[in-house]
Amino acid sequence: GAGVSQSPSNKVTEKGKDVELRCDPISGHTALYWYRQSLGQGLEFLIYFQGNSAPDKSGLPSDRFSAERTGGSVSTLTIQRTQQEDSAVYLCASRAIGGGGTEAFFGQGTRLTVV
Amino acid sequence: SQQGEEDPQALSIQEGENATMNCSYKTSINNLQWYRQNSGRGLVHLILIRSNEREKHSGRLRVTLDTSKKSSSLLITASRAADTASYFCATVSSGSARQLTFGSGTQLTVLP
C-alpha cells in the first residue's frame, strides 16, 4: 500500500477480553515499531521488529502484551485480558533500514477503549 | 523508556514569531529526527539530522545537533496558526539495534 495501515481505527472492548491490533507496513520496510500513547502524553515504546525478529521487547508493559510479525510484513499486537489502563492510542510505524538514516512512517493508530 | 526529553513541555507564541524547541538524549545515536503530530494520531516526519551533521534547514525549519552535549533544537521561523501541533524528537540508536525512541514532546500553540 501507499502508507502504513492500521486496523481497526477504533476499538471498544470490555475489560477482560482479548484484542488484536493489526499493522500493515509500507512494502519493503524491514523495521516496524509499536508505540502506545495516552491522552496528552508522549510515545511509549512497546516493541521493535527487524524483519520477523524482535530484538527489543523491553517496552511491553506486561505478559498480557505480545506481538508478532510474519513474512517480514504484517504485524499483530495482542493484548490479553484487557484492563482499563490499556486504553490508549496504539501507533505503528515502519522504516526502511538505510546507512544514512531514514524516516519512520506512521499509521493513523488504533484508539483502544476498555470499558 | 523515553530517551529524548523535550523542553519546554508547552509553548505559546504569536503568529509571525519564531518557536524554538529543545531535545536532550542519553545514548549514542545514528541520527535524530523531528516529528509533528496533530490531533493525537499519526506522526509526520519533518526533518532528519545525522550524527555527523551540525545543522540542517528545510523551509522554515532549522535543526541543530550537538552530539557532545547530546542535544538538539528545532527552530520554526515566522510561525503560522497552522503550525499548532505537538512536536517530538526521536533518536535512532547507533549500532545494529537501530531503536527509534521518542521524547515526551512539546505542545506548540500559535495564536493568530
Side-chain angles (χ1 to χ4, degrees):
Chain A
V4 178
S5 177
Q6 289 189 247
S7 61
S9 56
N10 288 284
K11 176 73 176 178
V12 180
T13 190
E14 290 181 353
K15 179 180 171 182
K17 300 281 190 184
D18 298 352
V19 294
E20 270 192 6
L21 312 180
R22 177 188 168 107
C23 174
D24 204 336
I26 291 173
S27 178
H29 280 190
T30 53
L32 186 147
Y33 306 84
W34 282 98
Y35 299 90
R36 178 169 74 173
Q37 186 177 35
S38 299
L39 188 64
Q41 302 298 310
L43 274 70
E44 176 189 1
F45 167 75
L46 297 178
I47 190 168
Y48 157 55
F49 286 94
Q50 193 160 302
N52 289 337
S53 64
D56 192 345
K57 302 179 182 179
S58 63
L60 293 177
S62 74
D63 58 8
R64 295 186 296 105
F65 287 72
S66 63
E68 64 174 14
R69 189 181 186 194
T70 55
S73 182
V74 172
S75 176
T76 303
L77 177 69
T78 301
I79 309 172
Q80 296 179 309
R81 305 181 302 282
T82 51
Q83 304 294 313
Q84 287 186 328
E85 61 262 29
D86 299 334
S87 296
V89 175
Y90 290 80
L91 292 163
C92 172
S94 71
R95 193 168 73 93
I97 297 297
T102 56
E103 66 185 273
F105 293 83
F106 278 81
Q108 288 302 299
T110 293
R111 184 179 302 279
L112 175 66
T113 303
V114 182
V115 297
Chain B
S1 62
Q2 298 291 332
Q3 163 159 250
E5 294 297 330
E6 284 97 328
D7 81 271
Q9 289 188 333
L11 179 62
S12 185
I13 59 174
Q14 294 294 135
E15 209 165 24
E17 294 181 338
N18 296 342
T20 299
M21 289 161 269
N22 302 296
C23 167
S24 61
Y25 59 93
K26 297 175 183 174
T27 63
S28 177
I29 64 170
N30 176 281
N31 65 78
L32 184 144
Q33 306 178 23
W34 284 89
Y35 289 80
R36 167 191 167 129
Q37 184 182 40
N38 288 84
S39 307
R41 287 292 190 144
L43 280 72
V44 175
H45 179 263
L46 295 175
I47 193 166
L48 179 154
I49 186 165
R50 297 181 176 84
S51 59
N52 61 353
E53 296 176 313
R54 292 297 167 257
E55 187 171 313
K56 205 161 182 182
H57 296 252
S58 176
R60 294 185 295 114
L61 305 179
R62 172 179 169 255
V63 64
T64 63
L65 178 65
D66 186 335
T67 53
S68 66
K69 295 181 179 177
K70 290 186 165 60
S71 68
S72 173
S73 68
L74 173 69
L75 168 69
I76 304 174
T77 60
S79 63
R80 305 165 182 167
D83 294 329
T84 296
S86 293
Y87 292 82
F88 294 88
C89 72
T91 55
V92 175
S93 55
S94 56
S96 60
R98 300 301 167 101
Q99 174 58 281
L100 178 65
T101 307
F102 283 80
S104 51
T106 293
Q107 172 60 49
L108 173 67
T109 302
V110 181
L111 302 169

